[in-house]
Amino acid sequence: MKTVLLVSPDESLRSRLLRALGDRSVFTASTDDEALKTIRVTEVEVVVKEASPPIREVPTFIGRLRSICPNAVVINVMPAAETSPDYESAADAADFVLLQPFTARHLQDVLRQAEDKLRLLQEVAAFRSIRPPGSLPRATATASSESRSLRMP
């Protein structure tokens, strides 16, 4: 994971996340519109989005984000105590959820999972570029009639 976009109106949350992402290129945005502008000009691999009110708009934002950058991994930062349908929709739209309050260890665990997912996506893309869909080799081995039948004593 080389490039990350942090989307949050909360400056203290952005600062905390920024410290944890030390060796990566990090872009920040305080609004969804700023984030979408950044994504249009910069290729990001991970988007860390604070699910801030109005929560019902978070899945819409993620949909717009995926239309611009379909391979980006999305992490929603959400309050642990909320259980409304809007929060559930926001959680379902993301790849991963980081519940607040969170520890440095929780944050590192979610970032590691995001890195693992990115690695898998890159491996799948590399495999597909080597073998286009539909070009898998066909089985050519033939079985003799003896090996197909069961012999009973």
Side-chain angles (χ1 to χ4, degrees), residues 59-126:
T60 303
F61 166 76
I62 293 173
R64 291 171 62 197
L65 175 132
R66 291 197 193 279
S67 70
I68 299 167
C69 190
N71 293 329
V73 174
V74 180
I75 301 169
N76 268 350
V77 180
M78 303 176 68
E82 296 294 332
T83 59
S84 73
D86 288 340
Y87 277 93
E88 289 178 19
S89 293
D92 289 342
D95 296 298
F96 301 99
V97 174
L98 179 63
L99 296 176
Q100 288 185 318
F102 57 86
T103 64
R105 182 177 177 146
H106 289 128
L107 175 57
Q108 290 305 320
D109 286 346
V110 170
L111 291 174
R112 183 181 36 74
Q113 291 173 344
E115 285 177 338
D116 290 346
K117 181 169 182 169
L118 279 171
R119 197 172 304 114
L120 287 172
L121 289 171
Q122 290 167 350
E123 288 174 9
V124 167

Side-chain angles (χ1 to χ4, degrees), residues 16-151:
R16 185 175 176 198
L17 293 168
L18 192 58
R19 283 190 301 272
L21 296 166
D23 62 340
R24 297 160 180 99
S25 295
V26 180
F27 301 91
T28 62
S30 57
T31 66
D32 292 353
D33 289 336
E34 274 183 51
L36 293 172
K37 286 178 187 176
T38 301
I39 288 172
R40 284 187 181 97
V41 296
T42 306
E43 187 174 330
V44 296
E45 295 172 311
V46 175
V47 177
V48 181
K49 163 87 170 108
E50 179 184 17
S52 55
I55 299 302
R56 68 182 172 280
E57 293 180 10
V58 172
T60 303
F61 166 76
I62 293 173
R64 291 171 62 197
L65 175 132
R66 291 197 193 279
S67 70
I68 299 167
C69 190
N71 293 329
V73 174
V74 180
I75 301 169
N76 268 350
V77 180
M78 303 176 68
E82 296 294 332
T83 59
S84 73
D86 288 340
Y87 277 93
E88 289 178 19
S89 293
D92 289 342
D95 296 298
F96 301 99
V97 174
L98 179 63
L99 296 176
Q100 288 185 318
F102 57 86
T103 64
R105 182 177 177 146
H106 289 128
L107 175 57
Q108 290 305 320
D109 286 346
V110 170
L111 291 174
R112 183 181 36 74
Q113 291 173 344
E115 285 177 338
D116 290 346
K117 181 169 182 169
L118 279 171
R119 197 172 304 114
L120 287 172
L121 289 171
Q122 290 167 350
E123 288 174 9
V124 167
F127 181 73
R128 286 185 177 157
S129 69
I130 294 170
R131 293 205 162 174
S135 69
L136 294 176
R138 295 179 187 217
T140 57
T142 59
S144 67
S145 59
E146 279 184 24
S147 64
R148 284 189 225 160
S149 63
L150 284 174
R151 293 189 176 200

Side-chain angles (χ1 to χ4, degrees), residues 2-23:
K2 297 175 186 165
T3 55
V4 179
L5 174 61
L6 302 177
V7 185
S8 173
D10 183 354
E11 182 64 38
S12 64
L13 177 62
R14 284 197 317 257
S15 296
R16 185 175 176 198
L17 293 168
L18 192 58
R19 283 190 301 272
L21 296 166
D23 62 340

